[in-house]
Amino acid sequence: MKKTSFIFILIFLSPLMELVRYPIIYSTNEPLFHAVIEVLFTFIILTSIILYLYHKILNKKIIDAFRNNHFNFKLVIIGIELFLLEVSFVLLTANPHESFQTNLSNLIGYNDSKLLLLCIVASLTLSPIVVELFFRDLIQSYLKKNFNAKYAILLSSFIYGISHSLFSIISLAYYILAGVLLGKSREESNGIIAPIVLHCSWDILILLMLWIY
C-alpha cells in the first residue's frame, strides 16, 4: 500500500515540474522581473520538494546521482536516436508556412516575446535539471528499487509523456518515446548528468529546427 501511495504522489506532482519554465501567476502587464522571480522561486520550491522526496523515498543523498557517472558509446547511439525522434516530431507537428515565433508560440503557449525568451532560457538551464531529477532520478530509481529497470523506464516515461501532453496523442507518443531514451541514458550512465545533457540538447535542437524549418 505504501508503494502505491508514493507512486500516486509522484504522478500527482509530475505536471508541476513544468512550472519552472511557465510563470502562470505572472501577468503580461507586469514587469518581466516579476516573471523571473516567479521562475526562480518555483525552481527553489520544486528542488526542495525533490530533495525531500529523494530522502524520504530512496533514503539516499541526491548528490549520489552526480557521482560515478559512466559515459560510453551506447550514449552516443541514444543521442542519435533522440535526434532522429526529434526531427520527425518537428516535421510532423510544426507548420512550415508559419514564422519561427508563431511555431514557437504554438509549442510553448505564450505569444509575448519576453515570456518566450524567458521560457527558452529556463528550458535550457533550470528545466532540464528539475525534470530529469524528478522523472529519471526520483521516479525511475524508486520504481527500479521496487520492480525492475525495464518497468521503471516504461512507467516513468509514460508519466513523463502525460505530464507534458495529455490532449495530443502525437505529442504524448513522442514524449513517451523521448522519456524511454532518456531513461535508457540514465541506466547506461549510472547517473543523471547524461539525461540532463540530452534533455537540454533536445530543447536546443527543437529551437534550431523551428528556426530553420
Side-chain angles (χ1 to χ4, degrees):
M1 182 63 183
K2 189 175 180 181
K3 294 180 182 179
T4 306
S5 300
F6 276 136
I7 291 174
F8 277 109
I9 289 172
L10 294 174
I11 292 174
F12 174 77
L13 290 173
S14 61
L16 300 180
M17 299 302 119
E18 287 301 306
L19 295 181
V20 75
R21 59 178 173 177
Y22 296 122
I24 59 174
I25 301 176
Y26 171 77
S27 175
T28 52
N29 59 358
E30 298 176 12
L32 183 63
F33 176 73
H34 292 178
V36 175
I37 293 298
E38 182 183 333
V39 167
L40 292 176
F41 180 75
T42 304
F43 174 75
I44 293 171
I45 294 297
L46 291 177
T47 304
S48 299
I49 292 173
I50 292 172
L51 286 171
Y52 172 77
L53 290 175
Y54 199 90
H55 175 72
K56 186 73 174 180
I57 296 176
L58 300 180
N59 296 316
K60 294 169 61 179
K61 295 180 179 179
I62 203 167
I63 192 65
D64 293 338
F66 295 90
R67 293 172 175 166
N68 301 320
N69 284 233
H70 305 151
F71 302 95
N72 52 47
F73 185 71
K74 289 184 179 180
L75 291 175
V76 177
I77 300 299
I78 292 172
I80 294 173
E81 291 172 339
L82 197 63
F83 171 76
L84 294 175
L85 181 69
E86 183 174 23
V87 170
S88 63
F89 174 68
V90 174
L91 292 177
L92 192 62
T93 58
N95 189 341
H97 303 294
E98 299 289 352
S99 66
F100 169 71
Q101 184 165 345
T102 301
N103 274 320
L104 192 59
S105 297
N106 292 335
L107 179 66
I108 295 176
Y110 290 131
N111 293 317
D112 184 271
S113 58
K114 292 181 180 179
L115 283 178
L116 282 174
L117 179 59
L118 176 61
C119 188
I120 290 172
V121 172
S123 297
L124 299 181
T125 54
L126 305 180
S127 181
I129 297 173
V130 169
V131 171
E132 293 308 312
L133 280 175
F134 185 79
F135 287 98
R136 251 60 65 182
D137 200 35
L138 183 61
I139 294 182
Q140 188 169 313
S141 296
Y142 176 69
L143 292 173
K144 182 181 177 181
K145 179 181 177 183
N146 292 282
F147 302 99
N148 59 64
K150 289 184 178 180
Y151 180 84
I153 292 174
L154 288 174
L155 185 53
S156 62
S157 300
F158 185 73
I159 298 171
Y160 176 72
I162 290 177
S163 70
H164 277 73
S165 183
L166 183 59
F167 302 106
S168 171
I169 298 298
I170 295 176
S171 295
L172 175 63
Y174 270 96
Y175 278 113
I176 290 175
L177 291 174
V180 169
L181 292 175
L182 290 169
K184 287 173 63 178
S185 73
R186 170 69 176 87
E187 290 300 311
E188 287 294 335
S189 64
N190 191 44
I192 202 65
I193 296 177
I196 289 175
V197 172
L198 289 174
H199 189 135
C200 187
S201 300
W202 168 279
D203 289 336
I204 291 174
L205 287 172
I206 280 186
L207 291 174
L208 290 175
M209 285 198 64
L210 288 179
W211 181 65
I212 296 171
Y213 192 51

